[in-house]
Amino acid sequence: MEAVTFGVLGPVTAERAGQALALKGPRHRAVLARLVLARRRMVPVDRLVADLWEVPPARAVGAVRTFVGDLRRALEPDRPRRAPARLLVTEGPGYALRAAPDAVDAWRFEAAVAAAGRLPAGQAPDRLAAALGQWRGPAYAEFAEAPWARGERLRLTELRLRAVERRAELLLESGRAAEAVPDLDAHLDGHPWREEAWRLLALALYRTGRQADALAVLRRARALLADELGIDPGPRLRRLEAGVLAQDPVLDPPAEPAEAAARLWTRATEAYDRAVAAGSAARLETTVGLLRTLAVTGGGGLEVARQQRPAAVAAAEETGDAELTARVIGAYDVPANWTRSDDPEAARRIVAAAERTLAALPDTPAADPARARLLATVALESRGVRSPRGPEAARRAEEIARRLADPALLAFALNGTYMQSCATAGGSPRRAAIGAELVELAARHGLATYEILGHLIRLQARSAAADFTGADRHAAAADALAARHERPLVAVFTTWYRALRRAATGAPYDRAEAGYRAAAARLEDAGMPGLERGLLPLALLGLRLSRGLPPEVDRRADWGPYRPWAEPFALLAEGGRDAARAALHRLPEPPPDLLYEALCCAEAALARALGDRPALRRAQDRLLPASGELAGAGSGVLTFGPVDDWLAAAVSP
């Protein structure tokens, strides 16, 4: 029998061989949609009851079981009466839909968008067009008002809008501007607030010889933004308007197709294969250089670099040449802006290899540059780990780099110092000094990626001080450098910063929440699980607590490493005060990373709600060094509000 496929990009459907299956009533479809949304994970029966009814009837659990039974008969009509279900299965206290990865249109759409990102620019637009063709209407259309569908609907909608705009951008890059115009027109009819879409439409019109129409589009965008939102167009729209008026040659299509670069790459790599022996040390060092370049591209490139780097280090160690191994380890001086590792196990292996190599290096001045790079690597890869070795390695690497007066080595060492600067709250002034030195050093010596890092660190420090005017300048500088040097990951951090800025400056709650959700969408396929996992629910928890709203903790959300701080809130909401208090007492000191203060605030909120004076005092003592700052804003991504509010919090008698 052919497999069942499911549709949620529009009304919820189930089909076999193109024939729709009868799903009975709306609550049957709601159960199916809720299980699809869970992505093969189990959904407890009590969660289904809570999602299906605002006020559950007396026999709600039995009704859910009836709905599941009806769905099973529709999905597997030939299953023997007492045989276990294979698709909609019972698991523990609930149910799971074991659909294949390609059986749900939303999952196929996401996979196709990700695959398009790995294709050459000339092929990607057609792949995106095919992916977008799967949409039949709004995601989970008949459940637009259901709270359980809201986050997924917003996420899928944002992914679709970005896919439309990315396809238009690729068409422009490929010299197919005329093809982009109709889709952008339709796109803006439904979503007139998308500044990037206005920019792309105006540029597409200009490149098809329609300068007057391009100007008219830009003026429409300006009027709409001013009249409806009370804001001016962003810098990209303003620059485009000036360029169109001046007929700036920069706006013209690329002079030669992108395939020229591909041909050059092919010729160079073929020549390298012929000239450099397969087992040579030069190949190993070249491989690390390529991985370093891949890492700063983000997405699949960063993931490949992270996966292959330990193999390159292991291959170098197998040669028995400590100096070669030191060069291979130290050559991966990729600037790091987040203090939690994307792959802790790989980081531990890299640190262990660096320590072995340090022990094997000769104790001579000639080995000092390699020694400093190894120490900086230990400091970087020990991020988020509470151990004296990381700070010590950072200090020694910086000392050697300053003595050698090597700018690139000093920038690498300062990155390690920055990574080890989060042991306690209130570290933003120190990080501000590191960022300032990096900006000055990197600008003077042409170290573009470290100049970007310096601006992002300064952005974090200014955010902690609630100086958003200063932070805006650093965000703009980082974005400009990223555009010039093709560093797409920078936009992830500046987008999160702007969501933080909106939340911290009193934007209405729904707009602040939407800002965080849009920022979280930028993390999809960015290749940074250490940043992505748990960040959105933690940011939304901080938003609610900073506004004096009761916490809402969804246990189904991916809280990642922050789940120990979320679980007590859920227990308390369910009436389990003793269990919540026990969970509070089990909390460790937050790890030494950029979210240290945020987790201290979460602990303070729990202690206050539970009337636990010792726990509240402990959290306040940890927060005290950050007095006068915005709690957690030194991360550049979220805030729990003014630290002083948490220091003044008291347990009611």
Side-chain angles (χ1 to χ4, degrees):
M1 180 178 294
E2 292 196 31
V4 179
T5 59
F6 302 93
V8 294
L9 300 181
V12 174
T13 61
E15 295 182 354
R16 179 182 288 109
Q19 297 297 314
L21 304 182
L23 298 180
K24 292 198 171 182
R27 286 205 167 93
H28 291 77
R29 289 194 298 279
V31 170
L32 180 61
R34 184 63 186 79
L35 294 173
V36 170
L37 187 144
R39 289 179 175 263
R40 297 172 56 87
R41 295 188 294 272
M42 183 271 290
V43 181
V45 171
D46 59 356
R47 182 71 264 171
L48 289 171
V49 168
D51 286 341
L52 261 63
W53 289 279
E54 289 186 9
V55 179
R59 302 176 64 85
V61 171
V64 168
R65 289 173 177 155
T66 299
F67 300 153
V68 169
D70 292 340
L71 286 170
R72 282 173 170 164
R73 283 187 287 276
L75 298 177
E76 297 181 68
D78 298 329
R79 179 172 58 90
R81 181 176 179 79
R82 297 190 180 278
R86 298 184 304 276
L87 186 53
L88 202 172
V89 302
T90 301
E91 184 175 302
Y95 304 101
L97 184 70
R98 300 299 190 201
D102 62 348
V104 178
D105 57 3
W107 304 353
R108 293 195 303 273
F109 171 72
E110 293 178 75
V113 170
R118 298 188 290 269
L119 291 174
Q123 300 174 22
D126 293 339
R127 184 64 177 271
L128 286 171
L132 290 163
Q134 298 185 71
W135 284 74
R136 299 168 287 110
Y140 295 90
E142 63 263 60
F143 305 108
E145 302 303 321
W148 54 265
R150 182 183 180 191
E152 183 67 354
R153 292 182 75 250
L154 288 171
R155 188 185 70 82
L156 287 170
T157 299
E158 180 62 23
L159 185 60
R160 181 179 71 82
L161 298 179
R162 288 194 293 114
V164 171
E165 291 164 10
R166 179 57 180 155
R167 179 173 182 271
E169 186 176 28
L170 289 165
L171 289 172
L172 286 167
E173 292 174 4
S174 305
R176 299 160 61 185
E179 295 180 44
V181 172
D183 286 345
L184 285 169
D185 260 327
H187 179 60
L188 281 163
D189 279 345
H191 308 279
W193 319 121
R194 307 281 293 189
E195 279 198 49
E196 180 61 6
W198 286 110
R199 187 188 71 83
L200 290 168
L201 177 57
L203 183 57
L205 290 167
Y206 181 81
R207 287 189 176 176
T208 54
R210 299 166 61 183
Q211 182 183 10
D213 289 339
L215 286 170
V217 161
L218 290 166
R219 287 164 185 155
R220 277 170 52 206
R222 179 186 294 277
L224 184 144
L225 293 170
D227 293 344
E228 300 293 334
L229 298 182
I231 61 174
D232 291 325
R236 299 188 80 189
L237 273 181
R238 295 198 301 271
R239 285 197 298 270
L240 178 59
E241 185 171 17
V244 170
L245 286 167
Q247 297 186 353
D248 190 338
V250 171
L251 302 181
D252 294 339
E256 64 177 9
E259 283 75 12
R263 289 195 299 271
L264 176 61
W265 173 264
T266 300
R267 288 196 296 268
T269 52
E270 288 174 351
Y272 187 91
D273 276 340
R274 291 191 299 270
V276 181
S280 68
R283 275 200 180 238
L284 194 53
E285 293 187 67
T286 301
T287 299
V288 175
L290 179 59
L291 293 177
R292 180 184 184 280
T293 302
L294 276 172
V296 298
T297 65
L302 178 56
E303 187 174 350
V304 168
R306 191 166 55 243
Q307 291 171 350
Q308 298 303 319
R309 184 185 172 204
V313 172
E317 280 200 286
E318 287 174 6
T319 68
D321 185 335
E323 293 182 359
L324 170 63
T325 304
R327 290 198 301 273
V328 168
I329 294 174
Y332 194 86
D333 55 350
V334 178
N337 186 47
W338 193 247
T339 48
R340 182 175 287 275
S341 176
D342 290 319
D343 188 339
E345 179 54 37
R348 282 191 288 270
R349 294 202 301 272
I350 296 293
V351 168
E355 297 284 23
R356 288 191 295 269
T357 307
L358 278 166
L361 280 179
D363 188 13
T364 63
D368 278 351
R371 185 171 291 108
R373 285 189 169 272
L374 289 169
L375 288 165
T377 299
V378 170
L380 275 163
E381 299 301 337
S382 300
R383 65 183 110 170
V385 177
R386 199 168 288 284
S387 163
R389 179 53 175 161
E392 178 200 8
R395 179 185 56 78
R396 289 183 58 202
E398 189 177 339
E399 286 176 354
I400 296 171
R402 291 192 187 281
R403 176 163 48 81
L404 295 175
D406 182 331
L409 183 56
L410 179 56
F412 189 21
L414 287 171
N415 198 175
T417 302
Y418 161 68
M419 283 287 141
Q420 295 296 327
S421 66
C422 301
T424 60
S428 290
R430 183 187 179 200
R431 289 193 286 276
I434 295 170
E437 183 173 5
L438 273 172
V439 169
E440 189 277 331
L441 177 75
R444 184 153 38 92
H445 295 283
L447 306 171
T449 50
Y450 280 105
E451 187 177 359
I452 292 170
L453 175 64
H455 282 296
L456 291 176
I457 295 172
R458 295 296 308 278
L459 176 158
Q460 293 169 343
R462 291 295 85 212
S463 296
D467 174 11
F468 292 111
T469 301
D472 284 346
R473 288 196 298 270
H474 291 294
D479 280 335
L481 286 165
R484 189 183 315 152
H485 298 285
E486 297 182 339
R487 299 292 185 262
L489 287 179
V490 173
V492 171
F493 293 100
T494 54
T495 300
W496 270 97
Y497 158 69
R498 292 183 177 101
L500 155 66
R501 188 191 199 285
R502 181 182 295 181
T505 53
Y509 183 89
D510 56 347
R511 288 193 63 204
E513 179 183 355
Y516 277 136
R517 291 192 182 279
R522 293 297 298 262
L523 280 168
E524 295 169 11
D525 303 318
M528 293 187 288
L531 174 62
E532 179 180 13
R533 293 204 62 217
L535 186 57
L536 177 60
L538 186 64
L540 296 179
L541 175 62
L543 178 62
R544 293 191 66 82
L545 292 176
S546 68
R547 301 291 177 92
L549 299 173
E552 289 183 356
V553 169
D554 183 355
R555 282 180 167 173
R556 298 164 300 168
D558 180 8
W559 284 89
Y562 314 119
R563 183 166 290 280
W565 285 267
E567 190 71 17
F569 285 107
L571 292 169
L572 188 58
E574 295 164 1
R577 292 184 66 85
D578 291 342
R581 188 182 300 274
L584 170 63
H585 290 172
R586 287 195 300 271
L587 287 178
E589 182 177 4
D593 62 28
L594 284 165
L595 293 176
Y596 181 92
E597 293 167 15
L599 296 178
C600 287
C601 291
E603 188 170 348
L606 283 164
R608 185 173 60 184
L610 288 164
D612 192 322
R613 285 188 174 85
L616 179 60
R617 175 53 57 192
R618 181 176 63 244
Q620 289 173 329
D621 287 345
R622 290 172 178 167
L623 284 168
L624 186 59
S627 177
E629 297 182 358
L630 283 179
S635 65
V637 297
L638 57 78
T639 183
F640 275 59
V643 170
D644 290 351
D645 288 356
W646 294 101
L647 295 177
V651 170
S652 300

